[in-house]
Amino acid sequence: MKFTFRYAETEEDFDRLRRLNHAAFAEELGQHEPRPDGRLTDRFEQKSRFLLALDGERLAAMVCWSMERPFSIESRLSDARVLDGLPQPLCEVRLLVVAREYRHTAVFAGLLTKLLDEVRAAGASTLLISGVEERIGMYGKMGFRALGPPVPQGAARFVPMALQLAELPERIRREAQKVQRRIS
């Protein structure tokens, strides 16, 4: 399977990513109430960049990121000043979604590799995420560390986490290089 990666640009792109967000965050995780139109618009959509992974014209996965504060993670911290002690500039990575039918494919590795390239090119030093509590082990293997306890939102619980790019585990760095050679 060959994936292409690009940023959301058209209204059709945004409609598809809103549907994918709804499927993941309303229907699957229960973070938000399901909506009759099957679309979930992120409250930070206007200031975020949405990186898409496409299988032909089909949206296989997406992730968004922003280096503009305030970050959504700040509402999950008892003291948001903890972010000031991290290497700057900060980049919040949000809404990582892989469509169900693509969860056991190389799309996640490809999307992660492209994301790392993009945020490094933008000058980020630290990545911030609100990790789904059930997937903390996966985030830990990627080098993320908790900044506070899990915080409930709807039926889901999120852990505020950070990864200093200079401390990206060597295993992840090597894997990203292999993927980069395949997708370039």
Side-chain angles (χ1 to χ4, degrees), residues 10-142:
T10 68
E11 189 52 43
E12 181 183 354
D13 289 339
F14 282 93
D15 186 61
R16 290 191 294 175
L17 71 85
R18 289 174 190 136
R19 288 178 183 277
L20 187 57
N21 280 341
H22 187 273
F25 296 104
E27 297 168 15
E28 190 175 340
L29 284 176
Q31 177 185 3
H32 299 281
E33 288 294 318
R35 297 175 43 96
D37 67 358
R39 292 173 181 83
L40 181 60
T41 301
D42 179 57
R43 65 187 170 118
F44 291 110
E45 185 174 281
Q46 293 301 314
K47 69 175 191 169
S48 298
R49 301 206 57 204
F50 289 83
L51 184 60
L52 310 178
L54 301 164
D55 177 11
E57 287 300 310
R58 189 164 186 190
L59 181 58
M62 55 85 44
V63 64
C64 74
W65 61 277
S66 174
M67 294 178 67
E68 184 181 323
R69 284 179 101 158
F71 299 126
S72 66
I73 194 175
E74 292 179 65
S75 67
R76 294 190 170 105
L77 295 166
S78 59
D79 184 356
R81 290 178 297 189
V82 70
L83 300 179
D84 298 333
L86 297 171
Q88 306 290 316
L90 305 174
C91 176
E92 184 172 44
V93 177
R94 307 181 64 248
L95 307 177
L96 170 64
V97 182
V98 177
R100 281 183 185 266
E101 58 272 26
Y102 291 96
R103 291 198 180 152
H104 300 287
T105 70
V107 72
F108 175 74
L111 189 62
L112 177 62
T113 299
K114 291 300 277 185
L115 174 68
L116 288 171
D117 287 348
E118 295 290 321
V119 298
R120 281 186 181 124
S125 293
T126 302
L127 300 184
L128 305 172
I129 64 169
S130 294
V132 177
E133 185 177 38
E134 292 81 24
R135 298 185 185 117
I136 290 300
M138 176 188 73
Y139 303 127
K141 289 177 184 174
M142 294 170 62

